Amino acid sequence: MKQTTLYGLTKCSTCVKARDWLTEHGVDHQFIDYRDHPVAAATLKAWSGKVGGWEKLVNRASMTWRNLPDDRKTPATDAQWTQLIAEFPALVRRPVTVTPDGEVGVGFSEKRYGERFA
């Protein structure tokens, strides 16, 4: 991979801010909407490992999470987590940023992007 890749949802305001920031700062990037192009289970598992676990990758404060039945909110295995995300892609924190060196981050803040892409 030669450029940064952002994964998220096209209409997500945070994803739009991240994309705009990257463009304004001359960071070559591509954007992938993971509703249109679902992320493979193995990739999701790798991301969770790089960001500190499923709890860091999944936005448990989201309306999507809050609207889940209680029995779906306690996935115990990687397979259960990936199945949940396959059903509800909006659960993943946005955006997921993958840089050419393989580093993965979730969310957007100007400060963190400034440090990361300086």
Side-chain angles (χ1 to χ4, degrees):
M1 178 188 346
K2 296 181 181 172
Q3 65 183 353
T4 295
T5 303
L6 245 56
Y7 295 84
L9 302 175
T10 302
K11 299 199 185 277
C12 167
S13 62
T14 306
C15 292
V16 170
K17 288 177 191 174
R19 293 167 72 186
D20 289 348
W21 191 97
L22 292 171
T23 298
E24 290 168 10
H25 290 84
V27 178
D28 186 29
H29 65 282
Q30 68 172 333
F31 179 78
I32 297 174
D33 185 315
Y34 49 64
R35 276 199 178 128
D36 297 334
H37 305 282
V39 178
T43 301
L44 291 169
K45 182 179 176 186
W47 288 353
S48 76
K50 290 194 175 219
V51 301
W54 292 107
E55 292 78 11
K56 302 274 186 186
L57 184 63
V58 170
N59 182 0
R60 296 188 303 167
S62 71
M63 285 303 298
T64 303
W65 179 267
R66 286 185 264 167
N67 289 331
L68 288 175
D70 286 341
D71 64 327
R72 298 296 307 275
K73 293 180 181 179
T74 55
T77 66
D78 292 334
Q80 289 173 337
W81 278 108
T82 57
Q83 177 61 40
L84 192 61
I85 292 168
E87 288 179 53
F88 305 98
L91 285 173
V92 176
R93 288 187 196 273
R94 299 181 296 268
V96 175
T97 307
V98 182
T99 52
D101 61 5
E103 288 301 309
V104 177
V106 291
F108 168 75
S109 81
E110 288 191 29
K111 180 182 178 195
R112 278 198 336 242
Y113 267 46
E115 293 166 351
R116 186 172 201 180
F117 296 105

